[in-house]
Amino acid sequence: MHVYVKKAVAGLAVVALTLLPAAPAFADGGRGQTATPIKHLVVIFQENVSFDHYFATYPNAQPNLDQSVFFSRAKSGTPTVNGLTGPLLTNNPNANNTGNGANAINPFRLDRSQASTCDQGHNYGPEQLAFDGGLMDLFPASTGAGEGPFCAAPFAYGKDKGLVMGYFDGNTVTAMWNYAQHFAYE
């Protein structure tokens, strides 16, 4: 998928790394003892996952297949991202490149019931092929794991190597979108 570097991501990354308030709350009137001292900080993130995989349509989310909604609407003033909107969502270069064969599909939303997915290939050569000289339109053919030894069919959700075009939104990765709502700034 396309990877976009955004100011919102930088703001979210800073918050995710620190998770500290802008000004500490002192229980002793400012003499150095915090009301809630932080003893440990643990940062967990997923390696080799693109911005679009989690924030492709931010701040617009669809209801889940069971019609459940966890992220109903964005806060006023929420910045948008240059992600999967308009033609990139409905007329994507990966869907139009015949080099992707039967896996030439547009990006699609993964439902929360599809949280466990096969991983895409991350080897250097296939990643370079996927970028296709800057066209970024050979991801299914080059990095899609597909059904077979690396991906059990139930976790490909009928998309085979096209699964690499799947993305989540605020109703599937709600916590991440809520962090963005509170800590990412334009």
Side-chain angles (χ1 to χ4, degrees), residues 97-117:
N97 188 331
T98 57
N100 288 314
N103 297 300
I105 62 174
N106 280 313
F108 61 94
R109 180 183 175 273
L110 291 161
D111 186 72
R112 70 183 183 138
S113 65
Q114 299 168 319
S116 295
T117 64

Side-chain angles (χ1 to χ4, degrees), residues 96-148:
N96 299 326
N97 188 331
T98 57
N100 288 314
N103 297 300
I105 62 174
N106 280 313
F108 61 94
R109 180 183 175 273
L110 291 161
D111 186 72
R112 70 183 183 138
S113 65
Q114 299 168 319
S116 295
T117 64
C118 300
D119 195 16
Q120 73 178 48
H122 298 289
N123 291 332
Y124 182 80
E127 286 282 343
Q128 295 303 307
L129 291 172
F131 276 71
D132 194 17
L135 297 175
M136 299 185 72
D137 63 355
L138 281 174
F139 281 85
S142 302
T143 64
E147 297 172 12

Side-chain angles (χ1 to χ4, degrees), residues 1 49-73 81 84-85 89 107-115 165-181:
M1 271 194 181
V49 176
S50 74
F51 176 84
D52 279 353
H53 193 67
Y54 291 128
F55 294 100
T57 61
Y58 185 82
N60 302 306
Q62 299 174 21
N64 291 308
L65 293 175
D66 64 4
Q67 297 306 307
S68 60
V69 174
F70 300 98
F71 186 88
S72 58
R73 88 183 138 152
V81 299
L84 293 175
T85 56
L89 190 57
F108 61 94
R109 180 183 175 273
L110 291 161
D111 186 72
R112 70 183 183 138
S113 65
Q114 299 168 319
M165 299 302 294
Y167 65 90
F168 295 106
D169 72 11
N171 285 315
T172 51
V173 289
T174 309
M176 294 176 77
W177 277 41
N178 282 332
Y179 283 132
Q181 283 287 286

Side-chain angles (χ1 to χ4, degrees), residues 149-171:
F150 301 109
C151 180
F155 298 105
Y157 303 106
K159 302 294 185 180
D160 195 39
K161 290 184 176 186
L163 182 65
V164 73
M165 299 302 294
Y167 65 90
F168 295 106
D169 72 11
N171 285 315

